Amino acid sequence: MPPSIHLLHAPDGFVSVPIAVAMWAVTAVVLAIAVRRTNATLSERAVPLLGVMAAFIFAAQMFNFPVAGGTSGHLLGGVLAAILLGPWAGTLVMASVIAVQGLLFQDGGLVVMGLNIFNMGVIGTLGGYWLYRALAGLFGGEGRGRLPAAAIAAWVSVVAGAVSMSLQIGLTPDMPPLGLVLGAMVGVHVLIGIGEALITVAALAFIGVTRADLFELRDRSPQAA
Amino acid sequence: MAAIAAIAAISLQPMGAFGPLALMFALLVAASLLARLGPWRLVRGAFVALPFMLIALPLVFTRPGDPLGSISLGPLHLTVSGEGLRAFATIALKSWLSVQVALLLTYTTPFHDLLDALRELRLPRILVSIIGFMYRYLAVIGDEAQRLLRARASRSALAEGAAGGGSIAWRARVTGNMVGSLFLRSYERSERVYDAMIARGFEGTFRHLGLRPITTGEWIAFASVLVALAAWAVATHLWWNPS
């Protein structure tokens, strides 16, 4: 099962060590908060759920569809995970996915794993979730505003991840100038983000038609589960 | 841990330090042979880092330095500089070597040993459990995904050379539906997994056998690897003169 290769997974050697270490520190703090919040709100039932969900995100990244000229759209899944599981649990799931991709499949380096988790798991999932909630409120509640809010949040999450990654590469000495990296990375991810948005929306619509009760999964208290 | 230190040491190497990097490569190859890994497997695994090298490629053309030659691509006129070429080669080598170190780690260490190591490094228990579950069900959910992909492929058989049907939005919806049904199947599986755990007496915490203690020999090996890596990093900065 070859994992699909994403440009957002930086390998080791592209970002200077001080930046990588600093990003690890930031990521560690966020993950610590996420662990505490998840432990407080979810029952022990959540462990198999989140583990299987991490496998789901990993497998869902294999799905792609042809766009044009040999390129294809596929999913990162940060916003989808956050909408279904809640922002903190979603962050843990994305961090696990990135950790396994780095440890097992060399998709993303070890020293730079902190910043990979930050770019995809934290920006995409936490940031994407807050944006989603704000937009959903704007569009008249989660019931009606779910799909448009999810579309915008999914697109922004991918582009913001690319911007963040470009800044980290651009701040590293001996790399191409920031403007060039930013242009290339963001240019590509503006398109990738559209694929992300379309798939996220379609997946949510599908779940809404078949098992709408699962939208309450993330709010379910330990007693009710 | 030694793997992470090695990658950090590689990243710290200055531009154009080809000599030290070559030495590291020789050592890595030796270690891989000791671990009885075929060289072919390692080379194949390393291709994962290739797409990212494209990002460093513009360096060849943008770094100021003595022009070595130039390429004309239609309206574009690109000048290759020696400086830029050297910077690109260094970055490419660095990331390749880092991938080799990581490969060495994963091909020699069973996954549950890695999990034990994560637990010992005081990673929060819930994170270790999620990673453990994820690894266990990766193949199962992956097969589920393959079945969905095969189903889509057989629904959309196409005559040779004919253009694919449907707009991009329609294709995205099909893919989204696949993601949605994969989610439902995964969710329902996780419910069955939990029920099965309860049936086997799960009480909310995982028990596992005690850890294999780390032997003195391993400590000594670990410490000497660290010292050697530090010496390697310092030595190149002091004595290697890239000119």
Side-chain angles (χ1 to χ4, degrees):
Chain A
M1 186 178 65
S4 46
I5 293 160
H6 311 289
L7 274 181
L8 278 179
H9 290 67
D12 285 315
F14 269 82
V15 177
S16 73
V17 172
I19 296 177
V21 170
M23 293 311 295
W24 252 125
V26 175
T27 302
V29 171
V30 176
L31 285 184
I33 300 171
V35 164
R36 184 158 306 164
R37 296 289 291 263
T38 308
N39 276 336
T41 53
L42 290 171
S43 63
E44 91 267 355
R45 176 176 203 132
V47 170
L49 172 67
L50 296 184
V52 176
M53 282 299 125
F56 154 70
I57 294 285
F58 189 103
Q61 292 183 349
M62 291 160 50
F63 290 150
N64 55 3
F65 64 97
V67 176
T71 58
S72 62
H74 59 77
L75 192 72
L76 273 172
V79 171
L80 186 64
I83 293 176
L84 292 170
L85 303 168
W88 300 108
T91 301
L92 289 186
V93 164
M94 289 306 285
S96 308
V97 170
I98 294 161
V100 169
Q101 283 169 339
L103 280 174
L104 242 61
F105 299 98
Q106 280 68 47
D107 201 4
L110 300 181
V111 172
V112 296
M113 190 180 286
L115 70 92
N116 278 336
I117 295 178
F118 182 81
N119 291 341
M120 290 178 283
V122 176
I123 292 185
T125 312
L126 273 186
Y129 180 75
W130 284 325
L131 182 64
Y132 162 76
R133 287 302 292 252
L135 288 169
L138 220 61
F139 291 137
E142 252 200 287
R144 273 197 307 149
R146 177 176 286 122
L147 297 184
I152 297 170
W155 184 81
V156 171
S157 75
V158 172
V159 175
V163 170
S164 159
M165 157 125 281
S166 313
L167 288 178
Q168 288 145 3
I169 293 181
L171 286 175
T172 299
D174 307 319
M175 286 302 279
L178 178 60
L180 201 68
V181 178
L182 206 61
M185 286 288 285
V186 175
V188 171
H189 284 88
V190 161
L191 296 177
I192 292 181
I194 294 176
E196 174 90 9
L198 288 173
I199 300 178
T200 302
V201 166
L204 287 173
F206 180 88
I207 296 166
V209 171
T210 47
R211 283 287 302 270
D213 57 308
L214 289 184
F215 283 137
E216 285 148 34
L217 199 60
R218 64 163 194 255
D219 304 319
R220 216 176 273 174
S221 63
Q223 290 78 26
Chain B
M1 283 311 279
I4 292 181
I7 292 169
I10 289 170
S11 301
L12 284 171
Q13 287 298 309
M15 280 294 132
F18 292 124
L21 286 175
L23 176 70
M24 187 66 177
F25 182 65
L27 283 177
L28 272 177
V29 169
S32 311
L33 290 180
L34 269 180
R36 299 212 192 99
L37 292 173
W40 183 234
R41 254 178 105 191
L42 286 174
V43 171
R44 211 177 34 199
F47 275 105
V48 185
L50 270 185
F52 233 85
M53 291 181 186
L54 290 179
I55 292 183
L57 196 60
L59 267 186
V60 178
F61 309 111
T62 56
R63 179 64 66 95
D66 340 316
L68 284 182
S70 50
I71 314 166
S72 290
L73 282 171
L76 279 174
H77 194 72
L78 298 169
T79 310
V80 180
S81 71
E83 274 291 303
L85 205 58
R86 193 156 68 191
F88 170 69
T90 313
I91 289 167
L93 260 181
K94 275 184 185 180
S95 57
W96 187 35
L97 282 178
S98 307
V99 169
Q100 293 295 347
V101 175
L103 279 171
L104 192 57
L105 173 71
T106 41
Y107 284 162
T108 53
T109 315
F111 192 75
H112 56 89
D113 281 359
L114 273 181
L115 275 185
D116 279 346
L118 292 179
R119 204 176 281 122
E120 276 299 277
L121 291 170
R122 296 278 174 273
L123 205 69
R125 185 172 301 168
I126 184 170
L127 216 47
V128 179
S129 309
I130 292 176
I131 293 176
F133 265 100
M134 176 187 172
Y135 179 71
R136 192 166 294 177
Y137 287 99
L138 206 53
V140 177
I141 307 291
D143 284 350
E144 200 88 67
Q146 295 287 8
R147 282 194 285 278
L148 284 161
L149 282 170
R150 203 179 308 135
R152 177 179 68 173
S154 42
R155 286 197 304 270
S156 35
L158 206 58
E160 194 101 10
S167 65
I168 286 177
W170 178 80
R171 290 181 201 170
R173 211 185 65 211
V174 171
T175 312
N177 288 346
M178 288 159 66
V179 172
S181 55
L182 184 67
F183 167 75
L184 292 186
R185 292 181 195 186
S186 312
Y187 175 78
E188 280 159 9
R189 184 175 296 275
S190 84
E191 281 185 324
R192 293 198 296 277
V193 167
Y194 182 71
D195 290 344
M197 284 161 64
I198 292 288
R200 286 168 177 77
F202 179 68
E203 292 167 326
T205 51
F206 290 94
R207 299 173 193 168
H208 58 92
L209 301 173
L211 290 171
R212 186 177 60 90
I214 300 175
T215 61
T216 326
E218 284 171 329
W219 274 119
I220 293 172
F222 175 59
S224 42
V225 167
L226 279 193
V227 169
L229 282 173
W232 181 62
V234 171
T236 25
H237 277 280
L238 284 183
W239 293 305
W240 182 266
N241 188 10
S243 56

